[in-house]
Amino acid sequence: MKAHKISDSVFVIHADIHTDDRFEGIWPIPHGVTLNSYAVRGEKTALIDLIKDWSGSVGQFDEQLASIGLSFEKIDYLVLNHLEPDHTAFLNEIRRRNPGVQILSTAKGIAMVRNFFKITDNLREVKSGDSLDLGNGKVLDFVETPNIHWPETMMTWDRSDKVLFSCDGFGSYGALGDRVFDDEFSKEEHEHFYRESLRYYANIVASFSSFVKKALDKLGGLDPAVIAPSHGIVWRKNVKEICDRYARFAGYNTGGTCEREVCVIWGSMYGYTKRGVDAVMEGIESEGVRCVSHRVPDTDSSFVLADAYRAAGLVIAMPTYEYKMFPPMAHVLDLFERKHVTGKSVLRIGSWGWVGGAKKEYEESIAALKWSSLESVEWQGIPSEGDLALLKERGKMLARMVKGA
Ligand code: FEO
């Protein structure tokens, strides 16, 4: 595979990762993920962000660097926007191959280079306002964007080609294949990558939405011609689409508008809670509101998190289990607290066996999430006709809340 050309002096070097490994050891990537790096050439050459040696990535990088007459040995500067090992784990090997390469990152990034990789020389700390002159009119500027999603993160700006190298910002799961630019994908493919970008945001970035908003404000004056993230599509035709999408994602848990739909998350031991779920969904859909339904633990929490994050409404449906919450739901609610799935309209329902008991634990779990909760509906064993009528009505009430959200 060849490197992809952004301009005569800027190239995309990318590796498609297909693996049974989970991203961060947590999140499944059934559609793969890309690692994007960028070669920028003046009189000197900079490589922006690196890779982890993962599922053949180094071979793919070697091949693409060679296609533009480069190799790791010929790089003068290595700009590290972010130190997470998916972008840096190859650092010791590149230093071994190229001892003279100078590594640039923020002060916190350089500290991580020292502490993670035990590299102590040829390091340069940079901060907002600093730049790197590569010669031939090619200058890179640095903008600190802390906590997207690690504290040391920054973005790099190419003045002459107006390319924003945004690292994880604007990124996505999903391997790209031999195309990388937004104008090379069909509408259906963009829908796929939209879902993968939402899941990436909800899994990786959502806890830091307030910092994303600060960064978007800080970057607002740049007017990029190209957004070049370290995962996923490189945007050159419809830059506004990805900028608007990211602002919307950041708003989902910081007071912005969520999508007027309901994510129904349910678990059921013997089908009695499921009967209640069906009645609630009938009520919601009778009001013209879309439902997305996920059974736990069947659906991996990565996907549950994504749909719950974007929806204005949630149904949490689970039986009481040994006096407490259904354990897979306890895990999901723990993730919601960690990933700041806040500000939702919510209905909790569920069946109990010999005694209720989920209520206390549930209320403790959601205390920090600032949810607007309808009165819960619980019943013993099989729901009666009266229970089902009440559940349908509660579903309608939730749908009306969502429509008014
Ligand atoms: Fe793609 Fe936070 O590393």
Side-chain angles (χ1 to χ4, degrees):
M1 202 155 35
K2 290 184 177 176
H4 292 258
K5 181 176 172 179
I6 292 178
S7 74
D8 288 342
S9 54
V10 183
F11 299 86
V12 187
I13 315 290
H14 88 287
D16 279 346
I17 309 300
H18 294 282
T19 174
D20 291 334
D21 281 357
R22 288 173 178 250
F23 198 79
E24 292 189 333
I26 305 172
W27 318 109
I29 42 173
H31 307 293
V33 66
T34 61
L35 304 176
N36 292 334
S37 180
Y38 298 91
V40 183
R41 307 182 86 162
E43 289 169 14
K44 303 279 190 179
T45 298
L47 193 63
I48 299 177
D49 294 321
L50 196 52
I51 51 171
K52 156 184 158 107
D53 186 356
W54 194 15
S55 188
S57 60
V58 175
Q60 294 179 60
F61 262 62
D62 275 335
E63 187 182 334
Q64 289 174 54
L65 285 170
S67 76
I68 52 172
L70 283 177
S71 65
F72 285 122
E73 289 78 1
K74 292 179 181 172
I75 303 298
D76 299 292
Y77 301 103
L78 184 54
V79 175
L80 298 179
N81 284 320
H82 172 36
L83 267 292
E84 192 164 11
D86 52 331
H87 309 291
T88 54
F90 195 58
L91 196 52
N92 286 117
E93 178 60 16
I94 193 172
R95 237 329 157 70
R96 189 189 64 75
R97 290 195 199 180
N98 182 351
V101 70
Q102 185 170 60
I103 298 170
L104 295 88
S105 190
T106 60
K108 287 180 179 171
I110 291 297
M112 288 180 182
V113 172
R114 293 178 192 276
N115 296 327
F116 275 41
F117 301 103
K118 317 305 176 197
I119 293 172
T120 56
D121 63 327
N122 265 343
L123 305 176
R124 189 198 298 188
E125 292 179 8
V126 297
K127 60 185 183 307
S128 292
D130 289 350
S131 57
L132 174 67
D133 190 341
L134 297 174
N136 282 343
K138 182 58 72 179
V139 178
L140 298 174
D141 297 315
F142 305 109
V143 183
E144 291 170 272
T145 52
N147 297 311
I148 307 178
H149 57 121
W150 280 21
E152 85 295 357
T153 48
M154 68 174 186
M155 296 187 187
T156 299
W157 171 247
D158 175 339
R159 281 186 207 174
S160 54
D161 284 311
K162 301 181 76 169
V163 182
L164 180 66
F165 303 101
S166 57
C167 201
D168 283 349
F170 309 102
S172 172
Y173 297 134
L176 296 175
D178 58 3
R179 295 165 292 162
V180 297
F181 295 110
D182 59 326
D183 50 275
E184 298 177 305
F185 294 97
S186 68
K187 185 169 176 285
E188 291 71 28
E189 288 170 321
H190 271 291
E191 285 167 5
H192 162 74
F193 284 112
Y194 166 84
R195 290 191 295 276
E196 288 291 79
S197 68
L198 171 68
R199 193 164 66 90
Y200 180 87
Y201 190 97
N203 294 177
I204 308 293
V205 187
S207 308
F208 302 95
S209 288
S210 59
F211 293 94
V212 172
K213 289 171 87 169
K214 282 181 194 163
L216 289 171
D217 287 345
K218 195 184 278 192
L219 299 166
L222 292 180
D223 188 25
V226 179
I227 299 260
S230 58
H231 301 291
I233 290 172
V234 180
W235 297 80
R236 66 181 178 188
K237 183 174 184 201
N238 202 350
V239 167
K240 186 173 183 312
E241 153 71 22
I242 189 62
C243 290
D244 289 351
R245 183 189 303 177
Y246 230 64
R248 195 164 180 90
F249 287 174
Y252 287 158
N253 61 354
T254 56
T257 304
C258 293
E259 306 310 320
R260 294 183 179 189
E261 62 192 29
V262 175
C263 180
V264 179
I265 307 150
W266 64 279
S268 190
M269 294 167 68
Y270 298 105
Y272 302 155
T273 294
K274 175 64 167 55
R275 293 189 199 187
V277 169
D278 292 343
V280 168
M281 287 180 64
E282 191 182 335
I284 294 167
E285 288 171 346
S286 73
E287 290 285 328
V289 171
R290 175 175 176 262
C291 286
V292 180
S293 166
H294 292 299
R295 183 177 190 178
V296 293
D298 296 9
T299 306
D300 191 279
S301 51
S302 169
F303 296 87
V304 176
L305 198 50
D307 283 328
Y309 183 66
R310 68 170 249 144
L314 302 179
V315 174
I316 306 292
M318 62 178 148
T320 294
Y321 187 90
E322 295 177 352
Y323 305 99
K324 289 190 167 186
M325 289 197 287
F326 189 57
M329 192 67 79
H331 168 63
V332 167
L333 292 176
D334 176 61
L335 275 180
F336 283 3
E337 194 272 335
R338 292 169 190 267
K339 298 296 178 181
H340 302 190
V341 181
T342 55
K344 308 297 183 185
S345 298
V346 182
L347 171 63
R348 179 180 69 84
I349 68 165
S351 171
W352 49 274
W354 62 91
V355 68
K359 181 174 185 288
K360 181 171 181 290
E361 189 189 18
Y362 170 80
E363 289 178 350
E364 288 169 0
S365 294
I366 67 161
L369 293 175
K370 300 186 182 110
W371 286 355
S372 300
S373 296
L374 285 165
E375 187 181 350
S376 299
V377 182
E378 294 181 279
W379 62 93
Q380 185 171 19
I382 298 170
S384 67
E385 288 303 313
D387 292 328
L388 294 172
L390 177 61
L391 286 159
K392 183 175 175 181
E393 187 52 38
R394 256 336 120 71
K396 288 184 178 184
M397 289 171 68
L398 181 64
R400 287 183 209 122
M401 285 174 76
V402 165
K403 284 196 282 190

